Amino acid sequence: MTVRINISITCDTLDRLDQYAFENHSSRSKAITDLVWKAHVKNAQLRGQISLDEYMNKHGSKKAKKNSS
């Protein structure tokens, strides 16, 4: 699923984005997507989702109960 958004950037940033897209044979949209996914984030887990370990601890698996004792 794709979502259409509007962003405001400076002319210099647009020029740099266009150069990046040109060098990578892609569109502006693809260039932005590539850059966002290459960027390091502190918590790569999407908001509203929990890890399998958190789920198992929250829902009281036998293994999690043994480890917590």
Side-chain angles (χ1 to χ4, degrees), residues 10-54:
T10 64
C11 291
D12 291 341
T13 302
L14 179 59
D15 290 342
R16 190 167 173 97
L17 177 61
D18 286 343
Q19 183 64 34
Y20 180 87
F22 175 77
E23 290 174 3
N24 289 281
H25 310 285
S26 66
S27 65
R28 286 179 184 161
S29 179
K30 177 75 168 114
I32 292 170
T33 300
D34 290 347
L35 291 167
V36 167
W37 283 103
K38 286 180 186 177
H40 175 74
V41 294
K42 290 180 184 178
N43 185 5
Q45 192 171 308
L46 297 176
R47 287 183 286 159
Q49 295 183 353
I50 61 173
S51 69
L52 181 59
D53 290 334
E54 290 171 325

